[in-house]
Amino acid sequence: MGVFMKKIILICGLLTSSFSFGADWVVLDRSHGQESQIDMSSIKKLPSDKRLVWYRSITKAEEAKYVYLTFRAEIDCTRETLQNNDLVIHINDKHISQTTVENPKPFSPPPESSGQKIIQTTCKVP
């Protein structure tokens, strides 16, 4: 293999690794047959003490069948509100639907809820 070909392979390898995306899902809560997770690598800081984050809820529907509801949300750390902007639905590995929430409204999740844990965890990230 020539020097030129080795350089091409090296460049392609470097480009491929720089474009890869890996989620860092962390479990926040397990209750009522559901598991809530947050993707720590997705947290993006916005102006006015706000953040964007992906989080999901996993429910076991029946034996060996899991429903994943994955949301992209805007968190207001000052007001402690959560606003769901996008929703992606999977059942096991099958993509079912993806939608943008029309006219999303911020809301304050109840204390000790998964939503409150999502806000607290997201807002701790600098």
Side-chain angles (χ1 to χ4, degrees):
M1 188 180 312
V3 175
F4 179 73
M5 186 59 98
K6 287 181 183 178
K7 286 182 181 180
I8 294 293
I9 291 172
L10 176 64
I11 290 170
C12 289
L14 291 173
L15 286 174
T16 302
S17 64
S18 69
F19 292 130
S20 64
F21 174 77
D24 181 17
W25 293 107
V26 173
V27 176
L28 294 179
D29 190 33
R30 285 187 180 107
S31 60
H32 309 293
Q34 291 186 331
E35 181 173 288
S36 297
Q37 300 178 346
I38 186 171
D39 178 8
M40 298 299 290
S41 67
S42 74
I43 299 172
K44 303 288 183 251
K45 190 171 184 179
L46 301 173
S48 303
D49 202 25
K50 294 183 180 180
R51 310 274 195 283
L52 278 179
V53 65
W54 283 96
Y55 73 92
R56 68 184 177 188
S57 173
I58 304 168
T59 306
K60 186 173 182 180
E62 44 189 72
E63 193 163 324
K65 191 173 189 178
Y66 292 88
V67 177
Y68 295 81
L69 300 177
T70 306
F71 299 89
R72 186 178 62 89
E74 183 177 301
I75 307 291
D76 185 326
C77 297
T78 303
R79 292 189 173 112
E80 294 189 358
T81 58
L82 187 146
Q83 175 181 304
N84 293 319
N85 296 329
D86 296 290
L87 169 63
V88 181
I89 302 172
H90 284 86
I91 295 180
N92 290 345
D93 292 331
K94 186 177 179 188
H95 179 83
I96 303 299
S97 148
Q98 183 167 350
T99 187
T100 299
V101 179
E102 301 260 341
N103 301 316
K105 304 271 189 257
F107 65 96
S108 298
E112 303 300 316
S113 67
S114 296
Q116 191 59 241
K117 291 175 185 177
I118 289 165
I119 291 171
Q120 291 169 351
T121 303
T122 302
C123 292
K124 285 181 187 175
V125 174

